Amino acid sequence: MLAAAGVGEGATLCCALSGGVDSVLLLHGLAALRETLGFRLVAAHVHHGLSPNADDWAASCAGQCARLGVSLQTFHVAVDRGDPAGLEAAARRVRHAALRRVACDWLVFGHHQDDQAETLLFRLARGAGVRGAGGMAAVEPGAPGRLRPLLGVRRARIEQAARDAGLVWVNDESNADLRHTRNALRHRVLPALEAVFPAAVPALARAAENFREADELLDALAAEDALRCGGRRLSREALCALPSARLRNLLRWRMRDLGVEPVSRARLIETERQLRETAPGRPLRLPLGELACCVYRDELWLERALPANPVALCWRGETRLGWGDGAVAFEATLGRGLSAAALGKAGEVWLAPRWPGLAMRLQAGRPRRSFKNLCQEAGVPPWLRDRLPVLRVDGEAVWIAGIGVAAGWQCAAGEEGVLPVWQHGGISSGCR
Ligand SMILES: Nc1ncnc2c1ncn2[C@@H]1O[C@H](COP(=O)(O)OP(=O)(O)OP(=O)(O)O)[C@@H](O)[C@H]1O
């Protein structure tokens, strides 16, 4: 399995070592394979400080590693006992954050088939979608990647193998605490299920694999649908021509692509309703958790939710001023941007959001255009207009991000200039 995952000569594997039977057997198995497969083996233990026995577990891990000649890194972490997600989830979060800090190519975990069955039941009971029902993967590429070589093995077989090999391990007394949801599933629900379906655990693990395969197909379908609808910016019309399930699948896929967990089914259904029912041509900005679903002139895209509107700042020649979730940089140029000489003669210079009556002439001899007209011409969607930085010199607009420099302020060829550049992370309006 390790070779099939691409674990090659010279790779560094880190065994995530809790000190329990699964990861102790895993450690010994990996230690036995390291020479044949040519990888380097290290181990990491996370000391949560939650159990009175936590020091003993850390000491046991240190002893095992010393005997096998494996270097062990121990992380002392603080778990917030009042975490709203619960103690188990809080411990898991800090544990994974600590393990991600290990310098290695692969983190190797001792999860087994019974863990997989519990994970599947746990997620289904909480209304998982196809992705969640896929449970844990044996191989998760990444930096570092994750491996679970024991995922196909029953817990009882692992315990038997560890006893046969004369290994020693620690027992986490919290595993017996039925107040923890996962333990209640392990000790109450699964045994009840196995009394009716003796092969429930391997069957649930197979179901997870089936879901995982279905999830891959859904991803492939979403990628095809994205192309069909125009690529990065989707055509709202083409998107709305898709059947509901495919439209929502595509939006979920896009959310994950932006590193955000998809919103609830109810939220997606509501987004879809508004997309379908709003008159074509009307700009839309629909909340989607940490993101917003934006539609402007039939183009649809997802972007980070906007922070509070920026406020006016006095500019005294700084090379950079913070602006909303980004900044405006003032670059020294030759022949581009605003005339440095004209700016030098100015009284008060402000970086400001739009103000009532704001208008600007872009070309000499042409009429002044209202801010709204300028934005429409430049394709700036309405919700971005309050955020566009405007350089205001003695009450007059001389530069608007994404629109340009006012006539009379433009730098002549070869003349020293100042070019303001709006650097803005999540906003993808194409405004500079
Ligand atoms: N304190 C720890 N330090 C290092 N590794 C750990 C620790 N606890 C658990 N692990 C690793 O995680 C595997 C699974 O452990 P366990 O079943 O207790 O965690 P889980 O909460 O179900 O899983 P996960 O943390 O992946 O959600 C272990 O076999 C081990 O490899």
Side-chain angles (χ1 to χ4, degrees):
M1 177 260 172
L2 295 178
V7 173
E9 189 89 17
T12 300
L13 270 60
C14 172
C15 175
L17 186 61
S18 64
V21 61
D22 319 324
S23 53
V24 165
L25 185 74
L26 178 69
L27 178 77
H28 283 78
L30 291 171
L33 284 173
R34 64 190 147 169
E35 262 183 36
T36 330
L37 293 182
F39 59 80
R40 193 171 87 86
L41 179 64
V42 297
H45 173 73
V46 181
H47 183 299
H48 297 102
L50 293 173
S51 158
N53 302 321
D55 288 340
D56 294 343
W57 300 343
S60 163
C61 291
Q64 306 259 2
C65 287
R67 281 191 289 282
L68 291 169
V70 173
S71 114
L72 173 76
Q73 216 176 336
T74 300
F75 295 91
H76 289 259
V77 296
V79 183
D80 177 4
R81 288 177 183 267
D83 194 293
L87 192 61
E88 263 183 299
R92 180 176 296 123
R93 203 173 54 241
V94 291
R95 174 164 72 247
H96 286 278
L99 292 173
R100 270 196 299 273
R101 301 204 325 253
V102 179
C104 63
D105 301 300
W106 296 98
L107 282 167
V108 196
F109 294 89
H111 293 109
H112 45 65
Q113 201 174 61
D114 294 61
D115 288 329
Q116 179 76 308
E118 284 161 23
T119 302
L120 182 60
L121 278 183
F122 179 80
R123 294 189 182 170
L124 287 177
R126 291 165 55 122
V130 175
R131 158 84 40 130
M136 296 176 280
V139 181
E140 264 178 54
R146 285 159 183 261
L147 297 173
R148 298 182 177 90
L150 303 178
L151 204 54
V153 186
R154 293 295 309 261
R155 172 186 290 121
R157 257 193 79 199
I158 290 178
E159 286 175 357
Q160 189 57 51
R163 273 194 298 272
D164 292 348
L167 302 182
V168 284
W169 61 89
V170 293
N171 281 311
D172 180 350
E173 70 285 346
S174 77
N175 280 342
D177 188 342
L178 296 186
R179 283 170 304 178
H180 296 320
T181 328
R182 294 295 291 265
N183 293 339
L185 276 178
R186 181 175 309 167
H187 297 299
R188 286 197 193 144
V189 180
L190 266 176
L193 199 58
E194 284 183 293
V196 185
F197 299 101
V201 168
L204 284 166
R206 272 202 316 280
E209 276 168 35
N210 291 333
F211 282 121
R212 185 169 291 283
E213 213 170 280
D215 188 48
E216 279 173 25
L217 295 178
L218 289 179
D219 276 357
L221 182 64
E224 270 182 27
D225 283 343
L227 277 183
R228 187 192 310 268
C229 295
R232 282 228 71 75
R233 295 248 169 158
L234 306 172
S235 147
R236 190 190 90 140
E237 200 188 335
L239 185 72
C240 288
L242 292 176
S244 290
R246 276 168 68 173
L247 182 153
R248 296 198 294 264
N249 182 51
L250 178 47
L251 290 180
R252 273 193 213 99
W253 182 75
R254 266 287 152 86
M255 294 190 81
R256 278 198 210 99
D257 194 40
L258 291 168
V260 170
E261 264 308 295
V263 288
S264 69
R265 177 180 169 78
R267 177 77 259 166
L268 268 182
I269 289 176
E270 176 54 21
T271 305
E272 181 197 356
R273 187 190 67 75
Q274 297 198 39
L275 282 177
R276 290 193 190 280
E277 291 179 8
T278 307
R282 248 192 80 194
L284 272 179
R285 186 177 169 83
L286 308 168
L288 261 189
E290 291 169 46
L291 300 175
C293 173
C294 304
V295 182
Y296 187 60
R297 296 183 178 167
D298 192 50
E299 280 195 340
L300 181 149
W301 69 95
L302 303 185
E303 64 183 32
R304 299 256 157 208
L306 295 171
N309 282 349
V311 291
L313 298 165
C314 189
W315 183 61
R316 297 188 184 84
E318 293 88 345
T319 50
R320 200 167 181 275
L321 281 182
W323 185 257
D325 64 344
V328 174
F330 294 88
E331 295 175 1
T333 57
L334 264 191
R336 288 172 64 214
L338 292 140
S339 154
L343 276 177
K345 288 187 214 132
E348 281 206 336
V349 184
W350 287 82
L351 193 64
R354 67 155 159 200
W355 57 90
L358 165 58
M360 196 170 83
R361 191 191 321 279
L362 273 175
Q363 283 167 334
R366 302 292 304 271
R368 279 156 58 88
R369 314 288 313 276
S370 71
F371 179 73
K372 185 175 171 185
N373 282 345
L374 290 167
C375 285
Q376 281 171 340
E377 264 165 33
V380 180
W383 58 86
L384 276 188
R385 295 180 190 168
D386 285 333
R387 292 165 189 280
L388 283 193
V390 182
L391 203 63
R392 178 177 178 153
V393 178
D394 300 323
E396 183 191 346
V398 302
W399 167 80
I400 306 176
I403 291 175
V405 175
W409 288 85
Q410 287 155 3
C411 195
E415 188 193 346
E416 280 186 17
V418 175
L419 181 69
V421 179
W422 182 22
Q423 303 164 332
H424 53 128
I427 302 170
S428 45
S429 66
C431 297
R432 243 173 88 88

